Amino acid sequence: MPKEMLTVVDRPLIQHVVDEARAAGIEHFIFITGRNKSIIEDHFDKQVELEEALRERGKTMELELLSRDLPEPGQTSFTRQQSPLGLGHAIWCARDLVGDEPFALLLPDVLVQTSGAGCLAQLLDVYAEHGGNVLAVEETDSEDLHNYGVVDVETGENDIYPVKGMVEKPASGSAPSNMIIMGRYILQPEIFDILQAGETGAGGEIQLTDAMLKLLPSQSFHALKYKGRSFDCGSKVGFLAANVAFALARKDIGATFVQELKKLL
Ligand code: G1P
């Protein structure tokens, strides 16, 4: 089971992320997958047998929910990263599919819960104002910085900061700030020219952060301290916390779930 198909409440992680992108107005979804992940492609297809069964049983609401999640024909593309050479390499695998256009990048192990506009929608507002490249960032404790990409920023306004540097997984004590890059990006296609070189960085991987740093002298980058809360669903505790937070926020089950949690605590 690919981790992207694990469900948070009742939807796979990947569906939550597609929901966020769709809500921001994204119209084409490119999935960079790998070996043994074809179930992701199947998830974004018609579920013929299930639909048939639901129709026979008159479950119109469930049918409606299924079709609401399904992207329009032609709105999805799938490609594979044949070897796990790093995030930068994964993105480079989609270069021909993306073409010569700016694009949004969402890492599906990061879920972001917001009370208003989604995280990507917030980034797009910054993009509309500043153009260039935009990164979602949040502040974290200094002992966690070495697990992330960390930005170095100039003074900002309204939680938007011009970026002047960045580093992937800085050695302990060397991070330029406490602001980490949190799995949501708007990027310009010139990033592909840099990734083409295939240079490796932290952990021997082809790192997106290194490629962004190389693009920085010629293009603007803004970091947005977005409004919302992120969950690292690549970790067990983060995944469990996401389930609790998303369940509590649901109109249909939130109140009952609180009662169950109270019994446990
Ligand atoms: C990736 C990025 C890193 C970012 C992190 C969380 O790291 O390389 O810059 O901070 O995602 O979004 P990974 O989690 O793949 O190690």
Side-chain angles (χ1 to χ4, degrees), residues 9 240 243-250 252-264:
V9 187
L240 293 169
N243 270 283
V244 174
F246 278 74
L248 289 174
R250 282 269 294 252
D252 55 345
I253 57 169
T256 329
F257 186 54
V258 171
Q259 299 310 318
E260 289 300 319
L261 277 183
K262 280 187 181 155
K263 284 185 217 163
L264 291 171

Side-chain angles (χ1 to χ4, degrees), residues 87 107 109-110 147-149 168-169 181-183 185 207 209:
L87 176 61
L107 308 186
D109 45 5
V110 177
N147 291 319
Y148 297 97
E168 182 67 20
K169 301 192 173 52
I181 304 172
M182 214 47 225
Y185 312 69
Q207 296 289 357
T209 305

